[in-house]
Amino acid sequence: DGAGFKIADDDVKQRTALFNITNSSEMWESFKGKSPAHDEALDKMFDLMQDNAEFWANLPPTPDAQALWDLISPYDPFILSMPWKNKETNKHDEDCKLGKRMWFMGRKISNPPSQNKILLVGDEGTPYKEAHAWNEATNSPNILIDDMPKFLEPWEDAGGYAIHHTSAANTGRLLEEAMEYLLNKKEPM
């Protein structure tokens, strides 16, 4: 393999590095187009992730995933997740969808959400995340916690309250501010 990029199924460090590259829009943008070798490596990564439910089901949780879940689970949240797009069909990969559901079923975190609380968004007939920004029943904004900055602005533009997740500790602080603002109509810090 010419790019010198190898992924072993049981190598958590390589899986984690791959996930970090693909999950961070800033890192992704800095990696693609650097050289033909970088682009070849990205193609190999796409090939690994595409049509591979096991890849998605076995991604390691972030170090503070349980701490974040412990913060938000009392609110009975929905999980909004955007599945990976298949590069050949330009539709969201069905195996990615299955793998993301399997990830929760595999108990990567304690007391995971029920399957009806996991919404895989963005396909034809399925609204994007921002369609869930406003709660019609309560006539108030919903809160989005997302580590992908590209989803925050559309959420806010649709009337929701967005928190950029960088760590459980920081998200916890921002969530407290958001709840105070939403409950008391005070400006967040």
Side-chain angles (χ1 to χ4, degrees), residues 79-96:
I79 305 297
L80 302 177
S81 185
M82 179 77 72
W84 183 259
K85 275 200 175 180
N86 183 305
K87 70 179 183 181
E88 292 164 4
T89 65
N90 202 34
K91 293 188 176 187
H92 290 103
D93 189 280
E94 293 301 317
D95 286 306
C96 174

Side-chain angles (χ1 to χ4, degrees), residues 129-142:
K129 288 184 180 186
E130 60 268 19
H132 303 279
W134 190 258
N135 187 327
E136 296 291 334
T138 62
N139 197 33
S140 63
N142 283 321

Side-chain angles (χ1 to χ4, degrees), residues 22-93:
T22 59
N23 200 36
S24 166
S25 55
E26 294 84 16
M27 188 180 292
W28 181 258
E29 290 302 320
S30 70
F31 194 75
K32 75 178 181 182
K34 262 191 167 177
S35 71
H38 281 90
D39 291 343
E40 185 178 343
L42 288 174
D43 283 342
K44 289 184 184 297
M45 289 172 18
F46 285 139
D47 290 342
L48 172 73
M49 293 181 283
Q50 190 166 287
D51 303 320
N52 187 348
E54 289 299 314
F55 171 82
W56 299 100
N58 291 307
L59 283 171
T62 60
D64 63 354
Q66 188 64 53
L68 176 62
W69 183 246
D70 291 345
L71 281 170
I72 66 172
S73 62
Y75 298 102
D76 194 28
F78 282 88
I79 305 297
L80 302 177
S81 185
M82 179 77 72
W84 183 259
K85 275 200 175 180
N86 183 305
K87 70 179 183 181
E88 292 164 4
T89 65
N90 202 34
K91 293 188 176 187
H92 290 103
D93 189 280

